Amino acid sequence: MRVSVVGAGLGGLALAQGLRGAGIEAEVFERDPGIVARFQGYRLVLNPIGFQAVRDCLPARWHPLLDEIVMDASAEQLVLDPRLNEIGRLGAGRTGIVVDRQVLRHLLLTGLTVHADAALTGYDVLPGGQVRARFARRDPATADLLVGADGVTSAVRGVLSPQTTPTDTGVRFVIGRTPLTDEFAGLSKAYGSKIAGDGVSLLLGAMRFRTPPKQAAERLAPEVTLPDIGDYVRWAMILPPDGSLADQTAQDVVLSRMDGWHPQLRALIEQADPDNSTLLSIRVVKPGARWAPGPVTLLGDAIHATSPTGGNGANTALRDADLLRRNLTETAEGRQNLLDAVDDYERQMFEYGAEAVRSSLEKLPAFAPEAKLS
């Protein structure tokens, strides 16, 4: 069996790794001109389902490395004012496994066949039941299954389910990271909490590695090359929907809304790495009606993009990858046919994917009261 995965995000790569481990041929096609052509690195909190999905998709020999590059985390989820005084609580404290997206992505890339600069232009289902994917600047690829793991603007979804389109909530946010130095020790109570300013919310999260990723890989899995990065603070400011952003850098956008804030908070933004700071929009994709059964399916944000305020986007994509991996392994072992395996995957994925989107939108007004949720 051969599988073509469109999209080299966490979900698509986890699926490809899991299939590779099961002896199933998988190729990944990425539209970006290079695998590291754009910033994809920030802190993620994985719940038990998401973390177990990663472990199950990776070779067992890399499990010690995975355990070494994550951290346990718990947060009280306070609401603080700009001077760091407690003024409320967001709800129950949150626990989980914290991982850096860029580091995890490099681990998942190891050993895979990944084709960059491969923008999908369409696909054809062939008479024998296989599917041929067409690309703008490379030869077509034929496989038994095509998986669209290509994000909110999925080209695969545009053909498979054109009636399923992203919804822009109107909310914009700036995300960045700053090296975690002793200067910011006093911010510890703000990690995992919301700092409520005048029409904006600032969210902070610490990433502390048990062992620096590059050194951990050299010691535990020399065939893996991980980024040489140290501990940092991930920060994100959620902006008003009508905020003017013209001709401002990501850091300037944030600093312009922090007059009178605690000096450590301002210093955190001033010392951020500008190459790892960017402005993003919050768009969601809600699973709609099922498409006709066939050798094409979707995974992750391509079919159920969530608001980051739910903390469940990556977890749900990884859950997809592990479920589809298990079903396709059964197909390869002759225990069920391909279309039944894909149908079972989609049936489950639509149910928990829709719930993930709903849950994330339910939490969004606590951070952006003017978000458009319809």
Side-chain angles (χ1 to χ4, degrees):
M1 183 165 56
R2 185 173 189 177
V3 178
S4 292
V5 179
V6 177
L10 297 184
L13 294 175
L15 172 62
Q17 279 287 355
L19 296 179
R20 176 174 174 252
I24 299 171
E25 186 177 356
E27 288 186 291
V28 181
F29 300 86
E30 169 57 48
R31 63 180 168 232
D32 284 349
I35 297 304
V36 292
R38 60 190 171 92
F39 169 63
Q40 295 195 34
Y42 49 88
R43 173 186 182 273
L44 295 170
V45 180
L46 298 182
N47 61 29
I49 292 175
F51 187 61
Q52 190 61 49
V54 172
R55 291 182 70 86
D56 289 346
C57 287
L58 285 171
R61 68 182 182 279
W62 292 348
H63 289 177
L65 173 58
L66 178 65
D67 291 339
E68 197 68 17
I69 58 175
V70 302
M71 61 175 278
D72 296 316
S74 61
E76 292 188 78
Q77 292 197 297
L78 307 174
V79 181
L80 308 174
D81 69 16
R83 303 299 298 182
L84 298 179
N85 299 305
E86 182 178 340
I87 56 175
R89 290 180 176 266
L90 284 171
R94 187 182 181 199
T95 61
I97 299 294
V98 180
V99 63
D100 178 81
R101 179 187 290 266
Q102 182 187 19
V103 171
L104 179 58
R105 188 166 181 257
H106 275 74
L107 177 59
L108 290 169
L109 281 163
T110 304
L112 296 181
T113 300
V114 181
H115 307 281
D117 199 22
L120 185 102
T121 58
Y123 62 80
D124 306 293
V125 177
L126 304 178
Q130 290 187 307
V131 58
R132 179 174 58 206
R134 293 179 271 110
F135 303 94
R137 287 176 293 277
R138 60 165 290 112
D139 293 338
T142 300
D144 299 290
L145 179 67
L146 175 67
V147 181
D150 47 343
V152 174
T153 59
S154 171
V156 178
R157 188 191 65 235
V159 180
L160 179 64
S161 183
Q163 73 277 11
T164 305
T165 57
T167 299
D168 191 338
T169 65
V171 179
R172 304 291 179 264
F173 69 106
V174 181
I175 191 165
R177 73 184 187 198
T178 304
L180 180 53
T181 62
D182 292 342
E183 179 181 355
F184 302 119
L187 295 178
S188 58
K189 74 175 180 179
Y191 300 150
S193 299
K194 178 182 87 167
I195 301 160
D198 183 14
V200 299
S201 298
L202 182 66
L203 312 176
L204 307 181
M207 182 71 235
R208 298 184 180 92
F209 298 102
R210 292 171 180 164
T211 301
K214 185 174 185 294
Q215 291 92 308
E218 290 171 348
R219 177 168 58 86
L220 296 171
E223 72 275 21
V224 177
T225 300
L226 297 183
D228 187 11
I229 63 173
D231 298 347
Y232 64 85
V233 179
R234 188 273 299 136
W235 51 264
M237 178 173 278
I238 300 177
L239 306 171
D242 58 352
S244 174
L245 309 174
D247 302 321
Q248 289 183 292
T249 67
Q251 286 166 281
D252 287 343
V253 167
V254 176
L255 289 169
S256 69
R257 290 163 169 81
M258 294 180 69
D259 288 345
W261 285 47
H262 194 287
Q264 282 192 328
L265 293 174
R266 289 190 57 89
L268 185 75
I269 309 303
E270 290 168 348
Q271 296 179 32
D273 177 0
D275 292 335
N276 287 318
S277 303
T278 189
L279 173 69
L280 299 169
S281 61
I282 295 181
R283 292 174 292 171
V284 299
V285 176
K286 299 178 182 179
R290 287 275 300 275
W291 46 81
V296 184
T297 193
L298 298 173
L299 179 155
D301 284 356
I303 185 58
H304 48 63
T306 67
S307 164
T309 51
N312 55 12
N315 285 294
T316 311
L318 293 168
R319 182 177 180 179
D320 290 351
D322 189 43
L323 173 59
L324 187 53
R325 171 195 68 84
R326 286 186 274 114
N327 283 15
L328 295 179
T329 299
E330 290 191 358
T331 298
E333 294 172 350
R335 288 185 279 158
Q336 66 173 326
N337 67 49
L338 177 62
L339 293 185
D340 286 344
V342 174
D343 177 73
D344 178 73
Y345 158 73
E346 290 175 353
R347 178 181 54 79
Q348 296 186 58
M349 177 269 289
F350 264 65
E351 182 175 349
Y352 65 69
E355 173 57 25
V357 177
R358 187 204 63 78
S359 174
S360 75
L361 288 176
E362 186 179 65
K363 295 178 173 66
L364 184 56
F367 301 90
E370 298 176 35
K372 304 168 190 173
L373 304 183
S374 59

